[in-house]
């Protein structure tokens, strides 16, 4: 009986040809168009995609991207030369000497969105900063809280109660 059912299932029927419908593959031109469209949509979602650069910013960005591509190319030629793939302490001198890092180090810095004090600078730099003019301490070491250190040309105002600053 089981053999008979299996045999009947193998008989041709009009429905047998349409059990699984698969869309046809796009032509190479359609594929390239769809791929370009997807890449464009992704680029529009990228961080900073809504920023328009002016003439000088475009020149600086192009130079930065050229330096970045050169760093990547070294890694493509010899993966051992790709610094991000190796331990930080092994490549620290290479990073400091790289044209890309030297260029970025000279750029003006914007706001720091999140950073830990131990990642900002060495202890020596932080201690030396305390000798700079216009450094103010606001608050005291009490009740589990730490004071803020603020650079300001004028005396900072006291923080409002309930506010962090």
């Amino acid at each position: 009986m089981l053999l008979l059912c299996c045999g009947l299932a193998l008989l041709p029927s009009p429905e047998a040809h349409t059990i699984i419908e698969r869309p046809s593959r796009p032509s190479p031109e359609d594929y390239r168009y769809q791929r370009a469209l997807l890449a464009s949509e992704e680029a529009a979602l990228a961080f900073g995609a809504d920023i328009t650069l002016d003439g000088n910013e475009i020149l600086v960005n192009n130079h930065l991207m050229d330096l970045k591509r050169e760093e990547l190319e070294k890694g493509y030629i010899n993966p051992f030369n790709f610094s991000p793939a190796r331990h930080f302490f092994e490549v620290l001198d290479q990073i400091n000497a790289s044209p890309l890092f030297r260029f970025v180090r000279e750029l003006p810095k914007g706001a720091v969105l999140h950073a830990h004090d131990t990642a900002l600078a060495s202890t020596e730099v932080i201690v030396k900063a305390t000798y700079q003019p216009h450094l103010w301490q606001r608050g005291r070491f009490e009740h589990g809280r730490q004071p803020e250190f603020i650079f300001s040309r004028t005396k900072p105002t006291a923080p409002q109660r309930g506010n962090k600053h």
Side-chain angles (χ1 to χ4, degrees), residues 34-163:
Q34 290 174 13
R35 183 178 170 93
L37 185 62
L38 178 63
S40 176
E41 290 171 356
E42 284 290 319
L45 296 173
F47 181 73
D50 57 338
I51 297 172
T52 304
L53 303 178
D54 68 20
N56 287 334
E57 291 169 332
I58 291 170
L59 291 173
V60 171
N61 187 62
N62 288 343
H63 181 63
L64 177 65
M65 294 307 291
D66 288 343
L67 292 172
K68 187 175 173 181
R69 280 188 277 276
E70 288 172 16
E71 290 266 330
L72 288 171
E73 188 64 31
K74 289 179 194 174
Y76 293 141
I77 293 169
N78 181 353
F80 187 75
N81 292 331
F82 188 56
S83 298
R86 298 185 45 213
H87 191 278
F88 179 73
F89 292 132
E90 290 178 11
V91 293
L92 183 57
D93 291 336
Q94 288 173 271
I95 292 170
N96 285 327
S98 77
L100 176 61
F101 185 75
R102 285 185 285 147
F103 181 74
V104 169
R105 189 176 9 205
E106 296 301 319
L107 291 174
K109 305 303 182 269
V112 174
L113 300 178
H114 176 90
H116 295 265
D117 59 347
T118 55
L120 294 173
S122 68
T123 303
E124 178 184 3
V125 169
I126 292 173
V127 170
K128 284 183 178 179
T130 64
Y131 291 95
Q132 298 298 314
H134 310 297
L135 177 64
W136 298 82
Q137 175 185 328
R138 183 166 70 180
R140 292 182 275 202
F141 291 96
E142 58 184 23
H143 307 295
R145 299 188 69 183
Q146 297 180 1
E148 296 176 278
F149 292 93
I150 303 166
F151 283 100
S152 176
R153 293 188 193 281
T154 60
K155 182 178 180 181
T157 59
Q160 301 288 324
R161 286 185 185 250
N163 288 352

Side-chain angles (χ1 to χ4, degrees), residues 21-27 30 34:
E21 286 190 27
R22 293 188 179 143
S24 63
R25 291 187 178 186
S27 68
D30 286 341
Q34 290 174 13

